[in-house]
Amino acid sequence: MTATFAIGAFALSTLMAGATYLTARQTFLNERRSAAERQAFVNASLVRNALRVPGTQVSQLLTSVDTIPGSRSVLYDRGAWYATSISVGQDAIPRAERSLGLSGVPAIQIFTLDQTPELVVDVPLPAVRAVYFEVLSLAELESTLRTLAITLAGAALVTTVAGALLGRWASGRALRPLAGISEAAVAIAGGQLQTRVDGGDDADLQALAASFNRMAAHLQARIEREARFTSDVSHELRSPLTTLSASVGVIEAHRHRLPEPADRALTLLDGDLRRFRRMVDDLLEISRFDAGSAELSLDEVDPGELVRRSVGSTMPIDDDGRRLEPEFPVVVGNDVHGLRIRVDKRRIERVVANLVDNATAYGNGVARVTVGAAATRRGAGEPVQEPQPGPGRGGQAVAIRIGVEDHGDGIPPDERERLFERFYRGRHSGRRGSGQGTGLGLSLVAEHVRLHGGEVWVEDGPGGGARFVVELPLSPEPPTRREPEGPT
Amino acid sequence: MSRVLVIEDDERIRTSMRLALEDEGYLVDDAGSGEEGVTRFTDRRPDLVLIDIMLPGMDGFETCRSLRRLSTVPVIMVTARSDTHDVVAGLEAGADDYVTKPFVAKELAARIRALLRRSRTDDATSPVLTFGDVEIVPEAGSVRRGGEEVHCTRTEFHLLRELAANAGKVLTREQLLERVWGYDYFGDGRLVDVHVRRLRTKVEADPANPRHILTVRGMGYKLAD
């Protein structure tokens, strides 16, 4: 677009400059020519009259004739040449013209003498058998034309550059709405389904923008409809689940009165009811992510406390209402000391709980859970630092890393990415007998962590098992910026 | 024995809740609609009310507001979702706490116990606390502003007393959840936020520009004299 404008401006300005030059040249030349002609005839008649008077000094006569600036006179009189200037003589006049003059034909001609263009007019004076020549230098005209040419070339250059700039500006202006549409498409692909574009004043762009917006609206409606369906289904499931939970709770309270087979059946029922509840919760959570309505409710917390409490919440409650202690250690590095992190506690609790469940179901149990500070943001594969002994180094930390290590056989590298996909069934699927997983757990972990602006990955743990690492930035720039009400 | 009123339109849920709560040792009344719930409330004067948000006709929010006009009885909202809108709207309608369906009977029983414990706590020995023109009389369980009695729910009263007893100190939402609601770490901070808003409308001259119950950004709340 810029180049088109530049080329156009160049062509146009060159054409204009060329035409101007040629017209000006022709005009100036014609002017000089007629001036020279007039002068020549006036002078010639003066000379003729003077030559009629006998005894006239020819050289004196020549100096007395009027000339226009830059012109000189040459007279051929009865075989002798006279001139007003030593710079011209008979040689100054081209042979052809000389013979034309001498044979009595008046003429006008341009020729070059010592690289200076000269205009020569011959006026035969047959009455006195002489020929009068007026020689006019065109050097001045030439220099004027040269100046003009340079000026015009300069103007053409300026015009070309201006054209290029104009083209650039115009193309930027014309394409700005397209850039807007491109940005909007990226935003929509990134999940901001409500993004729309403004077509501005241009009719063509308005049409394009309108089509784009229509497409975005359809897409949004469709995705929302699907998300709403999932959401409605899980809501509908909640009513029977509430009845089931409450009823099983009542039976549970009278468990000691049940015969052995009924007691075992109740254990099964209770276990699967829990699993069912988790599934419904997970589905609802997923539908919120899909509808883009997942919101962060941020609180500032102590990272070590956060993880300890989250791990605690996964532990079953005994008959006296006390939570059982986990059988694995939660190692909080000293570098975490004094650090505070803004997170949605409920979501991080779900993240930790899901990772612990995952390790229990597929990794032969949790080996340990670690919490450490990270001085740089992620690199998958880069080993997590061992929780640091010694004084806290909280000052340099940019993120918190939570590691959940298991006793399993590790995860092969080619499965590590796909593990976080929904309903992914890798080599673990065969072991789905324990009734734990919903197939959504790890994908939800990824969604929750992403909402916090963090990352999750899996790598080799120190004991040969897998280590799931959650990295949460200390100053989050979460994709969803909504803050909860107070204290803010 | 404490009396609990369950307002829930789904008969099966209502029955199962009645069974579970009776098993926990409560006397249970139930109602299938908001209108019926309000009538039943005036008849039976329960110690605590459970209101489902999605009721036909008069919805849970409206039912809660109606009860609030009659009483400071502890109210627990039962929601089908934990979205901000329903929870905050329920709390703003005057609920003290909420549970999300499907709840575990034990969880619900724990919430009920915590609320009832609070409403019965004997504060006879606590001193009278004052700030500005507000006076908190634990003995009477009442709050006066400029000599006038201010109607507070038990939860509002306890929250205000907790803040006043620690005047000048910042209390985090977690601390308030633990001390006022009896929650552990994972209580919902919105409970505190909405209750603080409600308290401000009662004890502040200009609730939009509070002078006493102050928000300490990123930390919590603090009472200033």
Side-chain angles (χ1 to χ4, degrees), chain A residues 453-474:
Chain A
E455 277 186 81
V456 59
W457 67 90
V458 65
E459 58 192 24
D460 291 324
R467 167 155 56 190
F468 285 80
V469 184
V470 169
E471 184 181 88
L472 298 171
L474 281 174

Side-chain angles (χ1 to χ4, degrees), chain A residues 384-458:
Chain A
V384 174
Q385 287 170 0
E386 287 295 305
Q388 293 291 317
R393 318 171 287 131
Q396 320 148 14
V398 297
I400 290 293
R401 282 185 189 162
I402 303 167
V404 177
E405 296 161 12
D406 64 33
H407 289 299
D409 307 325
I411 313 280
D414 59 319
E415 279 191 44
R416 289 180 184 178
E417 283 288 322
R418 302 186 52 210
L419 208 56
F420 296 96
E421 290 170 11
R422 285 177 199 179
F423 297 112
Y424 174 69
R425 283 159 188 265
R427 66 201 176 95
H428 296 315
S429 55
R431 271 193 275 153
R432 194 174 283 274
S434 54
Q436 297 268 358
T438 63
L440 288 169
L442 288 181
S443 73
L444 270 173
V445 164
E447 298 268 21
H448 285 313
V449 171
R450 211 171 293 136
L451 198 63
H452 281 83
E455 277 186 81
V456 59
W457 67 90
V458 65

Side-chain angles (χ1 to χ4, degrees), chain A residues 19 38 52 57 108 141 335 354 371 393 399 436:
Chain A
R38 264 198 314 278
R52 278 190 179 148
Q57 280 290 325
I108 186 159
L141 177 64
D335 52 0
N354 277 332
V371 188
R393 318 171 287 131
Q436 297 268 358

Side-chain angles (χ1 to χ4, degrees), chain A residues 141-162:
Chain A
L141 177 64
E142 193 72 359
S143 99
T144 305
L145 286 174
R146 198 175 305 122
T147 310
L148 180 68
I150 291 169
T151 311
L152 286 173
L157 185 71
V158 169
T159 310
T160 306
V161 172

Side-chain angles (χ1 to χ4, degrees), chain A residues 14-36:
Chain A
T14 316
L15 189 73
M16 290 302 287
T20 307
Y21 178 80
L22 289 176
T23 314
R25 186 170 185 272
Q26 204 52 50
T27 310
F28 286 152
L29 216 51
N30 286 346
E31 212 171 72
R32 297 299 276 176
R33 204 176 157 123
S34 48

